[in-house]
Amino acid sequence: MPASQSLQPTIAVNARWLLAGKLEGIGWHTRSILWPLIAQHPEVNWQLFYDRKPHPSMVPKDAVVHIITPPARHPLLWEIWQEWSIPRALKKVQADVYWSPDGLLPSRKTLNKHGLSTKTMATIHDLNFLHQAGNMPARAASYYQRVIERSAREADALLTVSKTSALDLQTSYQLQGKTLSITGNAPQAQFHPHSPAIKADSKERFSQGRPYLLFVGAFTPRKNVITLVRAFNRWKSRHPTSQLALILVGQVLHKDKALQVAIAAGGKHIILHGRAEGDDLNGLYAAAEAFCFPSLMEGFGIPLVEAMAAGCPVISSNSSCMPEISGGAAQLVNPLDVAAWTQAINELMEGQLPVSEMIDKGLIQAKSFQWQRSVDSLWSRMQALLTP
């Protein structure tokens, strides 16, 4: 008997991005929405599909775990996982709804072949693989271009994380007649401003007491860290006595010789911090002179909201969704213009930017992003799919 005819509907979720110690945008989105969603709806039979054994911290209470092989580590295995393993798992659990927070769905042809009437939901965060394809491995870009477009067209419910991404999806794939729901992001924790004394302690801890600029994110080509590093190095060359440092927080996910050379040129003034979460990350944001985000393209840009919530002024690129998410609180700069970024750093350090006003606006803007709103929006679409 299909689950929809029983008292307890069955919802399956692609949970393969829930990687302990390695959560990035999609992983944080999945975790931050899924935990409260499951807690608030115990009437649902929740089935989670992982592609490897998860760490206990990545398994929400009251969910059933399935390890679906093979581990999806490159395009060929992605294809097998989506088109062979997932349909069989959906049939096994008799899923009424399947939500994939990475936007990748098995084809409707394959689902029909298995006799499945499962409703599908896809959250597509951005179209980086379409607009910035040269910054990705060719096979990965090709796979995403093919499967994401198909998923966008075939999904019974389509979601994204910002108005900018929604418009891009509608325009790029001619989806004007399809409803897109916004399930935006929010900070990974309850970030807040710190007192001057706590800021001073953070500076001692993170930068040996020096003032610093901050970047947070994965070191991928689209994050465009190299523009910030080059601008910082140029500014330092003009102010050799300044103690200003640049702290880069995140993981190196792509080998980039040019970036390595630029970082090396900064010497002791550029600090590679590695990953940071929770209180440590809050401290890094709160004590920074500014959070600098030169990204070329984002679906949302969670660090923007985290920085604003921590009372940190923001200098951001003026591309993609950054103006939407920063909401007038940030100093916006062309992401490819090193001279413009150098000037923005100089204006900050010379007191020419309205820092107090930027902080106040940022604190207000950050409050508009709450995970519960996205939980409610997602559940509303799930309910609609569960209704006969």
Side-chain angles (χ1 to χ4, degrees), residues 149 153 167-178:
E149 180 172 5
R153 296 185 185 283
L167 179 60
D168 193 16
L169 277 161
Q170 290 172 329
T171 302
S172 297
Y173 296 149
Q174 291 81 51
L175 301 175
Q176 283 77 6
K178 192 159 191 169

Side-chain angles (χ1 to χ4, degrees), residues 242 285 295 332:
S242 171
Y285 281 127
S295 182
L332 300 177

Side-chain angles (χ1 to χ4, degrees), residues 68-144:
I68 310 299
T69 57
R73 299 175 189 269
H74 60 72
L76 177 60
L77 295 179
W78 298 343
E79 187 80 34
I80 294 172
W81 204 73
Q82 297 291 347
E83 291 297 297
W84 192 87
S85 303
I86 290 299
R88 284 161 175 76
L90 292 172
K91 189 169 186 177
K92 178 181 179 181
V93 304
Q94 286 292 287
D96 296 291
V97 173
Y98 174 58
W99 173 44
S100 183
D102 65 5
L104 299 169
L105 294 171
S107 66
R108 179 52 62 183
K109 180 180 179 180
T110 298
L111 295 178
N112 290 341
K113 181 180 178 181
H114 286 82
L116 290 167
S117 59
T118 304
K119 300 293 186 180
T120 58
M121 305 179 65
T123 300
I124 300 175
H125 296 251
D126 60 65
L127 299 181
N128 171 62
F129 52 85
L130 184 63
H131 303 307
Q132 303 285 332
N135 290 332
M136 296 178 66
R139 285 187 177 181
S142 177
Y143 177 85
Y144 274 95

